Structures are given as structure tokens and as C-alpha cells.
Amino acid sequence: MSNWTTICKETDLTPDTGLCALLDGEQVAVFYSKKTGELYAVSNFDPIGEANVLSRGIIGSIGEAVVVASPLYKQHFDLKTGACLEEPEHTLKVYPVRLEAGEVQLQPA
Amino acid sequence: MSKQRIVVVGNGMVGHKFIDNLLQDPKADQFDIVTFSEEPRLAYDRVQLSSYFSGATADDLMLTSEGYYRDNGVNFVLNEKVTELDTANNQVVTSSGRVESYDKLVLATGSFPFVPPIPGNDQEHCLVYRTIEDLEAISASAAQSKIGVVVGGGLLGLEAANALKAAGLETHVVEFAPRLMAVQLDEGGGKLLRRKIEELGVNVHTEKATKEIVAGENCRYRMNFADGSHLETDMILFSAGIRPQDELARQFGLEIGERGGIVVNDSCQTNVDNVYAIGECALWSGRIYGLVAPGYTMAKVAVSHITGGDEQFRGADMSTKLKLLGVDVASIGDAHGNTPGAQSYTYNDEIEQVYKRLIVSADGKKVVGAVLVGDVDAYGNLLQLMLNDMDLPGNPAGLILPAGDGEAAMGLGVDALPDTAQICSCYDVTKGMIKEAVASGCTDMGAIKGATKASTGCGGCAALTKQVLDAELSNLGYEVKNDICEHFAYSRKELADIVRVKKIKTFDELLDSHGKGLGCDVCKPAAASILASFWNEYVLEDNLVGLQDTNDVFLGNMQKDGTYSIVPRVAGGEITPDKLIVLGEVAKEYNLYTKITGGQRIDLFGAQLHELPVIWKKLVDAGFETGHAYGKSVRTVKSCVGSTWCRYGVDDSVGFAIEIEDRYKGLRSPHKLKFAVSGCTRECAEAQSKDVGVIATENGWNLYVCGNGGMRPRHADLLATDLDAETLIKYVDRFLMFYIRTADRLQRTSVWLENLEGGLAYLKDVVINDKLGLAAELEAEMEANIANYQCEWKTTVESPEKLKRFRHFINSDATDSNLAYVVEREQRRPAFKEERIAAVELAD
């Protein structure tokens, strides 16, 4: 069953930055890393700062993990697992994301 | 479990502190609190009593309010004295006959003024100085008097003299001892204090014992002294010391010291276990502590004991620093040199009227005391040296000698800070706690943050925490790496050199040639700042966007709910009424919370992403520019109104401030930069607390650098004097570029200078004497930077492509549904968690 939803075009992506998409009422932060060539999608809500801001964080790497840093209090979240590196009791939802015929698509988590 | 009932007798400063501390305790909900005060109001600031005579009202002095007590469930009864105490049945009885039971009783009854037993001391205009009611009586009496006398030349007596002087009376101080403040000052200090106070118009009479107070001939009273002399006066204030208010405890069987005071142990308990005494009524180890700070410590100890903690009162240091009648006075430790074998250094400048005496131990290694009059800057250093039992530096006299030309006053680096020094004020983390964390294996900032929470609150102490970490690592023999992060084995300074010398224009280029991994939120913004400092490109170019903190990307300051604040540039703080109206109209239209900033501009809070461009379009159209409040960059140039309006102005500070602000606006730097220009030495713009401060003199401009306000204030250093505008700009160009090239990430100019080898003298050599032969290059870099300036908001609102970013969702025009606001003082603010549900429901 295919339940992929197109959220934007590939050309809407700015390398190494994030954007926020609305998927069935949920806010999803989507990132594109030029170096890894991959797309990542996690929930946009920062569980520590308690605001919808993660798509506006800076992405990078900590060790092997590709991460986003919260723009509020700078905790790092692993973009593949959703885990918070500094405060492991917090985890983000991770959404399946893909590039299909020049379109960025998401599936519910 | 039913709640414990705590009765607090007395609601002075210490009684209130006890209640406030108990309310803040996590176990606060296990207690019911009742407090009685014989005064008609709740606790107020007795330390500031004399400000009542310079315009403060009783309300200004209040430390708390009835509303606060009510909101926190504290029962209070005013105008009601506790008159009986029954420790067998755990009950007190008040003047109105009210009976109150307690589980724990806290006596915070304070002290009363000692009135010497002089015949005639009970007449109508013979008063004391302790309560607001006393002040009202003094005020009424002063209105019918021309001359006033204070009996007592101690700390409180001089405060009282200040009050009489402020009330417009010819003021006299009569002291029994041979000098003023005999407890805190030595002979030299007392002598200078007397001279200064007399120059202020207060008459000082020492070695006078008052024999009697009789009717006067020209005034209301005449004081006859034991030596046969006399003094005529209309009113008399007794301020000859305090006595503990221990009457209740004494009458009902608590243990009292020989000379008064309720005896307490290290937990502040009296001889009855569930009765505590704190503050000036308590006698600990044979001593009464007549200052507020030890009283506060006792309050904390008592709360700790009642809530099951183990804090102990271990005595208190009575060192003190204060302004008496406008004269700076400080006394540390053994000010009289009574310690066996003590030796001293004395600095006595009769011209500038400064007296400093440093008393050291017999072996000359430790500070045991000090007296400072006229200049108390050394207080902090000397006190830390004594309290922490630190060894004196090689040349102890340097601690009290004025700094010579070209050298910084002797200071203490981070290594010299005592373990008790507080580094992180949000989480109360001391240097000692950070050192412990390092010793137990934390070797980077992440680990330190995890272990101590230091710099995880406001983050303002990050640089200082890092310095302590580095110093400790190097003390433990680790090789200290100043690597900016795991992706670059270079410090910020080294990266800046690489970028400049190799003409690197992008982060990817830098990462590929000198780094590894993907980069992170530390190295990316640092690289962006370096790239912007040298090439000053528009920060929203695609290859720069991903490097920037959200504040730089969206050109606003992100607030806690994810919205942004907007700060247009108001150069020099000068704004036309029309522009002010534009700001007001825009704020009104978008319902933005409005506040004046410390940098003389206006901050508009609560704009959502999609609103930013429309708001800025209006502002840009009205002639505003971005204020760069979001960037690590030049913020404001604060100014006083200067010679164009001010009677005292020497030069046009506003005009010069605007010129400077326009020159350096948009300049990216390792940390924010604040400037100020004052039009005369009255220094209304507070230029000496800024990174760059300029003060007008009769002969030109004086240039100060590396000052700081904020959490770690630093007085700026004088770099050059009597400059013309052109030379000053040249020096500032060089200074700023040198700082930008060499400072660490997030290192303010103040800390940078403290860490600069050679200090101020070296900086002068580089900036003024061009010792490194860099001056022309630094100036050229600044010129290039200025030539590349653009208002980022103007560029943004003119580019449809850039504007796409300013929306919450890429695939919907909806906005963030998580935002919720409540109205407070006629403006909106983000709802607190507990307010959110109600607010959201209302919005629906």
C-alpha cells in the first residue's frame, strides 16, 4: 500500500537546511544533507524547549550520527533514530522520507 | 500527613527571608506558615532606610507584599506583638490575646536601638533610627528644626547623618570614640573619612561624652559634654549601637547570653529544640551579627534544618563595603591588625583622598585584613584572598597601589579564582564543582555540562566555564586543545587565519581542506562569522544559510515559543516622532509586545515567521534598517544627549555616536559588540562598561576599550586620550579588526583582553604604535567590510526567492497551532504551561 504524501519539490530544498511540512496535522521537520546525499524527517516539536522549531536547527554530525541541534537550547537529536544525545529520555518521531521523480515525499511515522 | 505549623515572630528582613526560603523549598507544601509583626507593614529594606529622605517612599522599600503572602498561603498578622511564649505547650499569645499553636517556632525579633542613659534623652525631639515610623517621626521633627545631631559615629550613625543632611539640616555627628567607624576602620581610614565627610558639610565631634540634654538658648536643646564643651541643636538622633530584641525569649525561659541575645547552636536552634532564633536577636558562639547577610544565612540554615537538611551556621565574615554620605568605605577582616605579628602596607594619597591599608600575616603570605577609603576597587580581590586563605602574589603592595600608566591594575585570572567562586548563576555551580567534575573524568564542555549543568541555563557563562575547564585540565597535566569542535583541529583564531590567508570563501571548502565530518552547530556559525567578517557577503546566500543560527537565517531573535523579535536600528538612540509612530503602528497592527531595550532602541516581540517579511517591508519603507540584534555583531552605540542640548555637554555625543554606529553597523565578530559615547565626564552613556567607549573631554575624545556589563562586569581600560575624531576612528578600526582576527569564538573583548599576552600595554603597542606592522592592513580590511555593507532586511524583502523561506510550512499556509498567549499589563506574552489549556480554549 502506498501512502506517500508529496510535500514539496526537490528544488524547494536548500542543501544542509531544514523545512517544516504538515502531514495529517503533524508538524514534520525535513532536512537534506548535501554531503551524505540523504533526506531525513523527524517531528518538528522540540520536547525540551516545548516549541515547534527543530526544522530551524543547524544540522551536522556528532561522531557517526547525523544530527540536528535545537535552535532553542542546543541539544542534539539523531536524525536517523530521533534520540536526544544529551537527554536520552527524549526521543523524536522519525518519518520515512524519499525523493520520487523530483518530489519529496513523506509517510506517517 | 497533616501539615507542620511554623510560627515566625517578627517580619523584618530576616524573618521574611526565612519565609521566602521556605516557600522556595521543594517541601514547601508540607508547612503552614503564620507570621506576626508588631509593625504596621510587612518586611522592608532597613539597609536602605536613608533613601527615604532622598525621595523613596515606604512602598519603594518593601521587600514583599501582602499579595505575595496571600498567593503563597502565608498567614500574617500586622500590628500584633507576641507577648507570651509557652514552650511546654508549643503556644504563643499575642498582644490582642490571640493564641497560636506551633510545631516549630522561629524568633526573628531583630534588635532595638541602644539609647545611652543620658538625663534628658526622652524628650520629644530625641529620636532613634530603625523603622519607617522612626523615619516619619524624624521627618516631622526635621520640618521644625534647623540643626540636628546624631549621637554615634558608627556605620548606622553616619547613615542617620546622611538622612538628616538629606532633610536639609545643619548636621553634626557626636562620637564617644576618637574616630569615626571605630569598629571597622583604623586611625588613617577614620581620619580620611572624617575629612571627606566634613568637606560634605557634616560637622564631626569625636571624643565627646554627652552628660546631659537641657533646654537650649538659641536652639531647642543644648547638649553638655563631659569635657565642659556644649552643642546646641533642635533635634537629636540616637544611633549608638543596637541591642538584641530578646525580651520574649528572656521572659519565658529560653537561654540568653550574659550581655543579651538568644543563644543558638549551629542549626540556629535555641535550647528548646523546636524553637529557632535567627538574625540580630540570635547569639551564636558568643556573637551577635548586626549585618543582614549573616541573618540571611541563618534564615537559610533554619529552613534547611526544618526541612531535614544539614546546613550549618559557621559564623560569618563581617567584611563590608558601602557608600556613606557618598564616600566609598570598605573594611575587611582584621582591620586593626590585631592578629599577632601582623604587618601592613599603607597607601595614603592626600591629594586624591584615597587611603588603603593592607594587613598581612606575620609571614607576609596571607591577607588578614584591609581598610579602604575613597577607592574600594580592591575590595573584591582582597576579600577573596582572605576568605579563601590564598597566598599573596609576589608584590602584595601592587594590590593597593594605583595602576601605573600602561599597565592593568593587578587582577586575578581564572586560575586565581577561589573554588567557591560562582561560575554559573543559573544552576549555582562553583569553580570547585567544575574542578571536581574535571577530576572525575569530564574533559570537554559537553561532559561538564552533563555533570554540573553549568552553562545549560542561559548559557552566558559558557566562556568562563570553558576557561575553568581548560585551566584545570592544564593543571592536571592534560594537553589543552583549543579545537573549536570535533570537526576542526583548530581554534577560532587559527581558522580565521586560514580563511584569511587562503582566501577561503565557503564552509564546504574549509571543511574539505581542513576538517572532517559534516560540521556542527558550533563550527558552522563560527565559520559563517569568520567568512562574514572578511568577505561580508549577504548572510542569506544559499551556501551560507545552513551555517547560521536561526537568528541569523531569519534575521530576528528567536524567543522561547519559536516566534521572533524585531529590533530596527536606531543609531545613537536618536529617533524622530514620525519613526516612533511607525514603530507603534506596526506593533499595534501585528499585536507585538513592545519593550525599550538597554541599548536605546525598541524591541518588538512575538512575530511569526510569515509575518517577519511583511513587518520588515513596512519598516524598510519607513526608512528603518535592520538592527543586527540577532547577530554576533555590532549592536548599538548608546549616547547621552550631549552638547547640543545638555548644559554640561562638552561635545556632540549623539552626532559622533551616529557616525560610529553607521560606520560599524553589520560588522560580524566573535561575539556581540556594544559601544557608547558620552558628551562629558559625567558619563551618562555608561561608556566605560562597553566594548568600545568614547568620552568627550575639553581636549578631544578619550577612548576606552574592553569594558563589559552583563554577568561579569568589567570596567573598560583607557586606550588613548584627547583624540580628534579621525584618529579615534582609525584606532577603533584597528582595535576591532585585531579583536575579530584573534579572539576565540564567543569571547567578548573583556575576556579577550584578559587573556591577551602582554595585556593593555601590548594592545596599545599594536593599535597605537603599530608594533606588528599590521595597522594599514587592519584598516583596509575594515574599509572593505564597510564598503560591502548592506541592510540584510532590505535585500531580503526585495528578493521573492529569499522570502520563500519565511513560512512555517512548505506545503500549507497554516501557522503554528502551538502558540498561545495571555494578556499582562495590557500586552500579550506567551502563556505559561499551566495557563495554556485555558488560553487555547479561549482562542477556539
Side-chain angles (χ1 to χ4, degrees):
Chain A
M1 192 184 87
S2 162
N3 54 350
W4 288 98
T5 306
T6 297
I7 54 150
C8 65
K9 296 201 171 64
E10 184 182 3
T11 49
D12 291 327
L13 297 169
T14 304
D16 300 316
T17 64
L19 51 79
C20 179
L22 194 58
L23 180 72
D24 304 333
E26 294 182 21
Q27 297 197 17
V28 184
V30 179
F31 302 92
Y32 169 59
S33 163
K34 198 166 63 179
K35 263 215 140 82
T36 66
E38 280 187 68
L39 284 166
Y40 308 88
V42 294
S43 47
N44 190 41
F45 189 71
D46 174 351
I48 297 160
E50 302 191 345
N52 287 308
V53 295
L54 290 179
S55 64
R56 292 175 255 164
I58 293 177
I59 65 167
S61 61
I62 300 286
E64 295 302 307
V66 179
V67 297
V68 62
S70 162
L72 284 171
Y73 302 112
K74 315 295 177 199
Q75 293 88 358
H76 298 92
F77 296 91
D78 187 322
L79 290 176
K80 282 193 173 147
T81 66
C84 175
L85 304 190
E86 288 85 2
E87 299 181 30
E89 64 270 30
H90 296 289
T91 313
L92 306 178
K93 270 191 196 178
V94 181
Y95 296 78
V97 58
R98 70 176 184 186
L99 200 58
E100 187 74 16
E103 293 188 331
V104 180
Q105 298 183 328
L106 284 176
Q107 263 184 337
Chain B
M1 197 181 87
S2 72
K3 291 187 177 186
Q4 281 205 55
R5 198 162 182 77
I6 312 282
V7 172
V8 183
V9 183
N11 195 261
M13 298 179 77
V14 172
H16 167 66
K17 191 60 157 191
F18 171 86
I19 291 170
D20 208 26
N21 283 351
L22 188 56
L23 292 176
Q24 308 297 330
D25 193 274
K27 294 182 185 155
D29 57 357
Q30 299 175 10
F31 301 98
D32 270 332
I33 306 173
V34 187
T35 183
F36 294 96
S37 174
E38 61 174 319
E39 292 189 49
R41 55 176 68 75
L42 291 173
Y44 52 90
D45 192 348
R46 283 191 223 278
V47 177
Q48 301 296 332
L49 272 190
S50 70
S51 66
Y52 181 87
F53 290 93
S54 45
T57 63
D59 276 349
D60 295 334
L61 291 171
M62 291 309 292
L63 293 174
T64 184
S65 67
E66 300 190 359
Y68 175 77
Y69 274 21
R70 262 186 228 114
D71 290 349
N72 287 284
V74 177
N75 298 293
F76 56 91
V77 189
L78 301 178
N79 284 315
E80 187 121 341
K81 189 172 177 174
V82 173
T83 51
E84 291 174 38
L85 164 59
D86 178 352
T87 53
N89 294 307
N90 294 336
Q91 280 183 345
V92 292
V93 182
T94 69
S95 47
S96 71
R98 174 176 173 149
V99 178
E100 194 73 53
S101 300
Y102 62 82
D103 294 301
K104 299 267 167 37
L105 180 69
V106 179
L107 300 173
T109 44
S111 63
F112 62 89
F114 170 65
V115 177
I118 302 164
N121 68 6
D122 54 353
Q123 304 182 60
E124 191 189 346
H125 293 270
C126 293
L127 304 165
V128 294
Y129 179 82
R130 167 95 187 158
T131 65
I132 287 181
E133 284 63 42
D134 293 337
L135 297 185
E136 287 165 351
I138 292 169
S139 204
S141 171
Q144 316 163 38
S145 301
K146 288 200 175 70
I147 301 179
V149 167
V150 174
V151 176
L155 202 155
L156 277 173
L158 295 179
E159 278 285 324
N162 196 24
L164 289 188
K165 188 165 166 281
L169 269 59
E170 178 188 321
T171 306
H172 297 259
V173 172
V174 171
E175 167 61 46
F176 179 73
R179 61 172 179 274
L180 295 173
M181 286 183 72
V183 178
Q184 293 91 353
L185 299 185
D186 62 356
E187 197 185 334
K191 212 163 119 188
L192 177 57
L193 177 62
R194 175 180 185 150
R195 182 174 152 202
K196 283 180 170 261
I197 286 177
E198 284 180 335
E199 280 176 13
L200 292 166
V202 174
N203 304 287
V204 178
H205 313 266
T206 49
E207 296 184 86
K208 297 283 179 199
T210 311
K211 207 171 66 186
E212 58 182 358
I213 300 164
V214 296
E217 283 170 26
N218 305 311
C219 295
R220 198 172 281 134
Y221 306 127
R222 169 175 164 148
M223 300 169 76
N224 287 325
F225 300 123
D227 62 4
S229 62
H230 68 270
L231 180 63
E232 296 238 335
T233 180
D234 295 312
M235 63 181 293
I236 298 171
L237 273 188
F238 288 104
S239 187
I242 55 162
R243 296 290 180 270
Q245 182 61 271
D246 55 13
E247 181 193 344
L248 179 71
R250 188 187 293 270
Q251 271 181 6
F252 295 93
L254 294 183
E255 190 184 344
I256 301 291
E258 262 175 48
R259 279 175 295 170
I262 308 165
V263 175
V264 296
N265 63 14
D266 293 353
S267 302
C268 294
Q269 289 168 293
T270 65
N271 61 318
V272 177
D273 277 356
N274 64 342
V275 179
Y276 298 75
I278 56 178
E280 291 176 336
C281 66
L283 183 75
W284 178 87
S285 190
R287 275 195 82 164
I288 297 280
Y289 288 92
L291 290 180
V292 72
Y296 280 179
T297 309
M298 290 184 189
K300 212 170 136 213
V301 167
V303 166
S304 165
H305 196 261
I306 287 170
T307 55
D310 57 3
E311 282 185 49
Q312 303 247 295
F313 187 73
R314 295 286 190 202
D317 177 63
M318 296 295 276
S319 298
T320 179
K321 181 178 88 159
L322 67 173
K323 232 184 183 53
L324 287 171
L325 293 137
V327 181
D328 285 310
V329 177
S331 167
I332 295 175
D334 176 13
H336 299 291
N338 291 333
T339 310
Q343 312 177 70
S344 68
Y345 298 85
T346 308
Y347 173 76
N348 192 7
D349 179 345
E350 294 189 346
I351 313 298
E352 295 292 324
Q353 300 198 7
V354 172
Y355 175 85
K356 302 185 206 177
R357 180 157 173 243
L358 168 64
I359 298 138
V360 301
S361 55
D363 61 6
K365 284 189 179 156
K366 310 277 184 191
V367 174
V368 298
V371 173
L372 307 169
V373 179
D375 172 6
V376 295
D377 284 353
Y379 180 79
N381 273 347
L382 296 177
L383 184 64
Q384 291 291 2
L385 283 167
M386 184 191 75
L387 291 181
N388 300 288
D389 201 28
M390 292 156 76
D391 279 341
L392 278 161
N395 169 27
L399 291 166
I400 54 168
L401 289 175
D405 200 24
E407 47 182 293
M410 218 159 123
L412 303 167
V414 61
D415 244 347
L417 278 179
D419 284 357
T420 49
Q422 188 187 54
I423 305 293
C424 169
S425 55
C426 294
Y427 288 100
D428 190 18
V429 181
T430 62
K431 181 184 166 192
M433 290 155 79
I434 295 172
K435 281 173 70 178
E436 263 176 46
V438 176
S440 63
C442 301
T443 56
D444 60 37
M445 278 297 278
I448 292 287
K449 285 182 186 177
T452 66
K453 297 199 103 177
S455 89
T456 59
C458 73
C461 64
L464 191 57
T465 305
K466 176 84 164 63
Q467 279 183 52
V468 174
L469 167 66
D470 287 351
E472 196 48 27
L473 283 175
S474 110
N475 289 343
L476 292 175
Y478 288 87
E479 181 195 352
V480 178
K481 285 195 197 158
N482 281 315
D483 297 0
I484 192 161
C485 65
E486 66 180 62
H487 306 103
F488 290 97
Y490 302 97
S491 67
R492 184 193 182 278
K493 175 180 185 303
E494 289 163 341
L495 281 182
D497 286 339
I498 291 168
V499 165
R500 189 168 48 82
V501 173
K502 305 209 167 170
K503 304 219 177 325
I504 289 173
K505 298 284 175 75
T506 68
F507 178 77
D508 287 346
E509 219 180 311
L510 185 64
L511 188 67
D512 288 342
S513 58
H514 293 86
K516 63 174 191 206
L518 303 182
C520 67
D521 56 303
V522 172
C523 59
K524 282 182 169 181
S529 161
I530 294 169
L531 293 168
S533 302
F534 291 122
W535 322 125
N536 205 6
E537 283 180 81
Y538 173 60
V539 298
L540 294 191
E541 292 302 333
D542 276 355
N543 63 25
L544 289 176
V545 169
L547 305 181
Q548 312 271 10
D549 278 318
T550 184
N551 286 1
D552 281 284
V553 175
F554 296 109
L555 306 167
N557 290 41
M558 183 185 269
Q559 303 300 320
K560 65 183 196 179
D561 62 351
T563 64
Y564 294 83
S565 74
I566 290 170
V567 190
R569 186 164 298 288
V570 178
E574 183 184 80
I575 187 165
T576 62
D578 281 334
K579 281 191 159 180
L580 208 47
I581 288 167
V582 170
L583 291 181
E585 282 173 350
V586 167
K588 216 165 166 178
E589 184 175 352
Y590 293 92
N591 195 10
L592 302 173
Y593 169 85
T594 308
K595 189 173 186 311
I596 310 275
T597 73
Q600 301 187 332
R601 38 195 200 174
I602 295 170
D603 208 337
L604 312 172
F605 290 82
Q608 295 181 52
L609 262 190
H610 67 279
E611 293 174 327
L612 286 171
V614 267
I615 292 171
W616 270 106
K617 175 83 172 53
K618 292 191 181 197
L619 295 175
V620 168
D621 286 348
F624 282 103
E625 290 186 308
T626 179
H628 295 100
Y630 42 81
K632 301 294 177 218
S633 60
V634 172
R635 296 282 171 86
T636 64
V637 183
K638 185 176 175 178
S639 70
C640 66
V641 74
S643 61
T644 47
W645 284 94
C646 178
R647 282 181 291 152
Y648 305 110
V650 174
D651 213 330
D652 176 16
S653 46
V654 178
F656 201 29
I658 293 171
E659 186 186 333
I660 293 175
E661 185 157 344
D662 277 339
R663 181 170 182 82
Y664 300 114
K665 63 188 177 189
L667 179 71
R668 292 303 203 268
S669 54
H671 211 312
K672 62 188 170 190
L673 289 165
K674 296 183 176 181
F675 293 34
V677 181
S678 276
C680 78
T681 52
R682 282 180 176 73
E683 243 286 69
C684 295
E686 298 166 336
Q688 290 167 94
S689 64
K690 306 296 182 202
D691 297 281
V692 175
V694 179
I695 300 176
T697 74
E698 298 289 347
N699 308 312
W701 302 99
N702 283 356
L703 174 59
Y704 291 82
V705 294
C706 303
N708 201 358
M711 61 174 278
R712 202 168 154 251
R714 181 179 191 277
H715 214 273
D717 283 305
L718 183 60
L719 188 77
T721 54
D722 303 336
L723 304 173
D724 57 49
E726 199 185 331
T727 312
L728 184 134
I729 293 283
K730 205 160 71 179
Y731 286 176
V732 176
D733 278 3
R734 296 173 185 177
F735 166 75
L736 289 175
M737 266 302 159
F738 187 52
Y739 161 68
I740 288 169
R741 270 196 190 187
T742 59
D744 272 332
R745 175 180 169 268
L746 299 184
Q747 190 176 41
R748 290 292 296 267
T749 56
S750 55
V751 181
W752 169 72
L753 179 62
E754 280 165 17
N755 287 304
L756 190 67
E757 244 173 78
L760 182 65
Y762 178 71
L763 184 61
K764 282 183 178 173
D765 261 347
V766 173
V767 172
I768 300 171
N769 307 326
D770 195 14
K771 184 183 177 178
L772 301 180
L774 276 178
E777 199 179 319
L778 296 173
E779 284 170 44
E781 271 170 15
M782 185 62 83
E783 283 303 336
N785 204 293
I786 292 162
N788 280 334
Y789 171 81
Q790 51 186 317
C791 169
E792 290 140 9
W793 265 114
K794 186 162 186 294
T795 312
T796 303
V797 294
E798 285 167 357
S799 156
E801 194 55 33
K802 307 293 177 207
L803 289 179
K804 278 202 211 154
R805 241 188 291 282
F806 291 85
R807 53 190 298 193
H808 195 80
F809 296 110
I810 187 77
N811 60 342
S812 163
D813 286 330
T815 55
D816 186 359
S817 59
N818 187 47
L819 302 175
Y821 296 92
V822 295
V823 171
E824 188 172 270
R825 294 185 295 279
E826 297 169 61
Q827 299 202 71
R828 66 173 187 161
R829 63 156 170 82
F832 297 129
K833 215 170 181 179
E834 59 276 15
E835 295 166 333
R836 288 187 70 90
I837 296 155
V840 171
E841 275 170 5
L842 275 179
D844 289 343

